[in-house]
């Protein structure tokens, strides 16, 4: 028995060691298959067996990888991944998401190109370079090199086209914009500030959108001088986000929690999907939150959704008291679309309602008109088809006119702070009514056709039956012709008898 157990333990041990060997061998090959540079003729297609990201090019440290990143199961984007955390820190600005399919291909022919044999080109660097290289700071470059393979010039680099993230020592200029992964929020530089902006669903047109947070340069050590060029910003290793007009002295220092403290890993700053701007540093096994521009949840641009009310420390509810927030939605979806109550909506119905104890989370950045009363403020909105609502402060007489879809407001204890809001009701209702009318019409048509078929069938059946029966002179039915014939023959036979 002891011999059997020993043999069993030996087999289990061997299996365990073999599994470890093959696992390590597999990961070794994954790393080995990712080159450190790409040359003309390079081609790659998505591997259907990979569920997260597929490395295509790695930096010299193995910390960063240019990869196919799987999105929503059957789609992909081209991304630079921080490998230890599997976090995306850069995404190519594709015309649309590519498919995770054999027809999708990344190739280098002087330009780095992502395309589909059926759908065309999604993205290209539009260069004529010799190689593609990824730095150990995550900067992807298309380079021109001389005959000795020495760098001649950088034709294109990802640091010039950030997506939602800036990494340590990456310059952020006035020509750049950070955009959140959901496309709703962005960060850009002004003359002497950097700000956070919101764009609404289906909103088009130039400009970053509506500003909801702003940090102006303090100019403690240097002034922003008009005519001396635009400012730029850099995330520094010392733990601050600095604004500069020249390379010597910052015009502003936005410090992180770890300001002037050494940290073990790299730093990054990102515009989050909720509209906040957050800074992190890598601690070896996780990203540590080190900075956030907006400290309070209710100060975010839309924490409770459209027509939501955020109460500090109490959570979310709806601006309209008659609506339950349990579903997480306070109004129908068409109320988040950009636009107004003019033109196509002038024949639609809308509901107006008032609410006390509300204020805007970013009122210091909003324009206002001074009015004598809330009624005057409300009337101004009711008669204006571009107005979605107003917020009024009774003590100051400030009337804030909202010419955009209503986002989350902040609930306050001061009942003299009041709001009036419009809600689109006709758009979705009309669509439902039209759809319902079409559905009912089709159903009625089907019933009529079916009834006609059944009626025709019954008519033919009864006609055939009537043709098989006869009546005597006294009106009594004597049966089908064949039965009548038999009866006649029998009566003849009996009479002959």
């Amino acid at each position: 028995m002891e011999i059997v157990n020993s043999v069993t333990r030996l087999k289990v041990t061997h299996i365990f060691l073999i599994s470890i060997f093959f696992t390590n061998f597999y990961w070794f090959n994954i790393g080995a298959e990712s080159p450190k540079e790409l040359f003309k003729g390079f081609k790659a297609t998505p591997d259907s067996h990979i569920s997260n990201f597929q490395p295509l090019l790695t930096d010299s440290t193995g910390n960063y990888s240019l990869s196919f990143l799987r999105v929503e199961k059957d789609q992909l984007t081209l991304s630079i991944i921080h490998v230890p955390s599997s976090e995306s820190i850069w995404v190519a600005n594709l015309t649309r998401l590519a498919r995770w399919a054999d027809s999708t291909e990344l190739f280098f022919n002087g330009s780095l190109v992502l395309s589909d044999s059926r759908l065309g080109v999604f993205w290209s660097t539009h260069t004529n370079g010799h190689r593609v290289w990824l730095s150990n700071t995550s900067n992807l470059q298309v380079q021109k090199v001389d005959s000795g393979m020495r760098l001649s010039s950088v034709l294109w680099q990802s640091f010039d086209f950030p997506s939602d993230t800036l990494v340590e020592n990456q310059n952020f200029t006035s020509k750049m914009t950070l955009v959140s992964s959901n496309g709703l929020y962005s960060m850009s530089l002004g003359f002497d500030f950097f700000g956070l902006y919101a764009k609404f669903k289906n909103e088009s047109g130039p400009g970053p959108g509506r500003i909801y947070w702003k940090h102006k340069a303090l100019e403690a050590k240097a002034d922003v001088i008009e005519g001396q060029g635009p400012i730029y910003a850099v995330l520094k290793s010392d733990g601050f986000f600095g604004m500069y007009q020249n390379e010597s002295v910052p015009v502003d220092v936005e410090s992180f929690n770890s300001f002037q403290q050494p940290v073990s890993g790299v730093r990054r700053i990102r515009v989050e999907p909720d509209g906040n701007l957050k800074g992190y540093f890598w601690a070896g096994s996780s990203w540590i939150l080190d900075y956030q521009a907006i400290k309070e949840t209710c100060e975010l641009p839309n924490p409770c959704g459209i027509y939501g009310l955020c109460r500090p420390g109490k959570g979310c509810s709806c601006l309209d008291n008659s609506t339950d927030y349990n579903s997480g939605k306070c109004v129908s979806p068409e109320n988040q679309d950009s636009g107004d109550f003019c033109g196509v909506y002038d024949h639609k119905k809308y509901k107006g309602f008032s609410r006390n104890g509300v204020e805007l989370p970013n009122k210091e950045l909003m324009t206002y008109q001074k009015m004598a009363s809330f009624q005057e403020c409300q009337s101004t909105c009711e008669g204006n088809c571009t107005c979605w609502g107003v917020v009024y402060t009774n003590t100051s007489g400030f009337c804030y006119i909202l010419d955009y879809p209503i986002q989350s407001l902040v609930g306050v204890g001061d009942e003299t702070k009041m709001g009036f809001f419009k809600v689109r009701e006709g758009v979705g209702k009309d669509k439902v009514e039209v759809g319902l009318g079409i559905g009912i019409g089709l159903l009625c048509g089907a019933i009529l056709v079916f009834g006609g078929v059944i009626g025709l069938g019954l008519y033919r059946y009864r006609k055939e039956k009537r043709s098989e029966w006869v009546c005597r002179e006294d009106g009594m039915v004597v049966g089908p012709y064949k039965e009548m014939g038999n009866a006649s023959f029998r009566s003849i036979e009996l009479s002959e008898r």
Side-chain angles (χ1 to χ4, degrees):
M1 188 64 148
E2 181 62 26
I3 293 175
V4 173
N5 290 336
S6 298
V7 171
T8 303
R9 284 195 298 271
L10 182 62
K11 288 182 178 179
V12 171
T13 303
H14 281 174
I15 292 170
F16 178 73
L17 291 174
I18 289 170
S19 66
I20 290 177
F21 171 79
F22 278 108
T23 300
N24 290 333
F25 179 77
Y26 172 78
W27 284 112
F28 173 80
N29 278 311
I30 288 293
E33 290 174 0
S34 302
K36 300 296 185 291
E37 53 189 351
L38 307 179
F39 296 99
K40 289 183 178 180
F42 166 82
K43 292 181 179 181
T45 56
D47 185 341
S48 60
H49 298 96
I50 293 177
S51 60
N52 189 3
F53 65 91
Q54 177 181 337
L56 306 169
L57 171 70
T58 58
D59 76 307
S60 59
T61 66
N63 286 328
Y64 300 103
S65 170
L66 175 68
S67 303
F68 287 142
L69 177 64
R70 192 181 280 269
V71 180
E72 296 178 355
K73 295 185 179 180
D74 59 350
Q75 294 178 308
L76 68 81
T77 189
L78 189 63
S79 178
I80 295 175
I81 303 293
H82 179 254
V83 177
S85 64
S86 298
E87 284 271 0
S88 172
I89 58 173
W90 178 83
V91 177
N93 185 20
L94 309 185
T95 55
R96 60 188 180 278
L97 288 175
R99 297 180 300 168
W100 194 285
D102 292 338
S103 59
T104 299
E105 183 179 62
L106 179 72
F107 61 87
F108 180 60
N109 62 359
S111 290
L112 193 60
V113 181
L114 181 67
S115 68
D116 187 296
S117 58
R118 301 172 184 173
L119 302 175
V121 174
F122 298 112
W123 174 84
S124 173
T125 58
H126 300 289
T127 52
N128 186 20
H130 295 129
R131 72 171 182 178
V132 181
W133 178 74
L134 184 61
S135 75
N136 59 12
T137 60
S138 76
N139 189 15
L140 181 69
Q141 296 182 342
V142 176
Q143 300 176 342
K144 199 174 186 67
V145 296
D146 60 21
S147 57
M149 293 304 293
R150 292 174 300 185
L151 175 63
S152 172
S153 60
V154 176
L155 304 179
W156 179 96
Q157 59 181 358
S158 60
F159 272 17
D160 291 338
F161 304 92
S163 49
D164 64 349
T165 300
L166 292 175
V167 297
E168 202 170 302
N169 297 319
Q170 177 180 359
N171 284 355
F172 183 67
T173 71
S174 58
K175 295 181 179 180
M176 299 177 183
T177 303
L178 290 188
V179 182
S180 61
S181 59
N182 57 12
L184 296 178
Y185 308 105
S186 65
M187 182 183 85
S188 59
L189 294 171
F191 170 71
D192 59 355
F193 68 91
F194 69 94
L196 298 175
Y197 299 81
K199 272 202 169 185
F200 304 107
K201 184 180 177 183
N202 300 329
E203 184 178 7
S204 60
R210 176 182 60 88
I211 189 167
Y212 61 87
W213 183 87
K214 180 178 179 179
H215 178 78
K216 189 177 182 303
L218 295 178
E219 303 179 78
K221 295 182 178 180
D223 296 329
V224 179
I225 302 173
E226 191 170 356
Q228 296 298 309
I231 63 171
Y232 67 96
V234 186
L235 175 58
K236 291 293 188 178
S237 305
D238 289 340
F240 68 90
F241 191 56
M243 285 190 281
Y244 298 79
Q245 194 172 29
N246 56 61
E247 296 182 0
S248 56
V249 182
V251 297
D252 184 77
V253 171
E254 179 76 334
S255 59
F256 288 13
N257 296 335
S258 62
F259 179 56
Q260 294 185 337
Q261 299 175 24
V263 296
S264 57
V266 295
R267 298 180 182 275
R268 66 184 173 104
I269 193 168
R270 180 173 69 183
V271 178
E272 302 289 345
D274 65 0
N276 210 344
L277 179 69
K278 293 184 178 181
Y280 306 85
F281 68 85
W282 179 246
S285 59
S286 63
W287 290 101
I288 304 300
L289 180 63
D290 199 28
Y291 167 82
Q292 50 184 348
I294 301 174
K295 306 296 192 296
E296 301 295 332
T297 299
C298 288
E299 297 298 317
L300 292 170
N302 201 23
C304 296
I306 57 174
Y307 290 81
L309 184 67
C310 185
R311 293 184 177 277
K314 296 182 180 179
C316 295
S317 59
C318 292
L319 279 173
D320 188 349
N321 280 327
S322 63
T323 307
D324 188 6
Y325 189 77
N326 290 336
S327 63
K329 295 180 180 179
C330 294
V331 292
S332 54
E334 68 267 10
N335 284 284
Q336 65 184 334
D337 295 343
S338 61
D340 48 43
F341 296 86
C342 310
V344 71
Y345 297 115
D346 60 358
H347 65 289
K348 308 294 182 181
K349 296 178 181 179
Y350 74 84
K351 179 182 75 171
F353 67 92
S354 301
R355 178 70 185 260
N356 291 359
V358 296
E359 69 175 359
L360 297 167
N362 55 343
K363 60 181 182 296
E364 66 278 0
L365 299 174
M366 298 284 294
T367 58
Y368 60 85
Q369 298 178 26
K370 195 152 186 176
M371 297 188 180
S373 66
F374 172 64
Q375 288 72 25
E376 182 184 356
C377 182
Q378 178 177 328
S379 297
T380 301
C381 183
E382 288 176 324
N384 184 352
C385 66
T386 65
C387 176
W388 284 76
V390 293
V391 176
Y392 181 78
T393 302
N394 196 38
T395 53
S396 63
F398 292 170
C399 177
Y400 299 91
I401 299 176
L402 311 179
D403 58 356
Y404 54 84
I406 305 300
Q407 308 297 289
S408 299
L409 272 72
V410 181
V412 295
D414 188 351
E415 294 291 314
T416 65
K417 295 180 177 181
M418 299 168 281
F420 167 76
F421 312 99
K422 295 177 181 177
V423 180
R424 283 175 179 163
E425 285 192 320
V427 182
K429 184 178 178 182
D430 285 355
K431 289 180 180 178
V432 171
E433 288 175 351
V434 169
L436 184 61
I438 293 172
I440 291 173
L442 291 173
L443 179 61
C444 290
I447 290 172
L448 288 173
V449 171
F450 182 73
V453 171
I454 295 296
L456 182 60
L458 287 173
Y459 171 76
R460 288 180 176 177
Y461 176 77
R462 290 176 178 175
K463 184 177 180 181
E464 289 175 358
K465 286 296 182 181
R466 282 198 301 269
S467 67
E468 294 178 355
W469 292 79
V470 296
C471 297
R472 296 191 316 201
E473 290 182 0
D474 59 3
M476 295 196 58
V477 178
V478 297
Y481 287 126
K482 62 181 180 180
E483 293 179 359
M484 184 183 70
N486 291 337
S488 300
F489 290 141
R490 284 197 298 271
S491 62
I492 293 171
E493 289 175 355
L494 287 172
S495 65
E496 288 179 350
R497 289 177 185 176

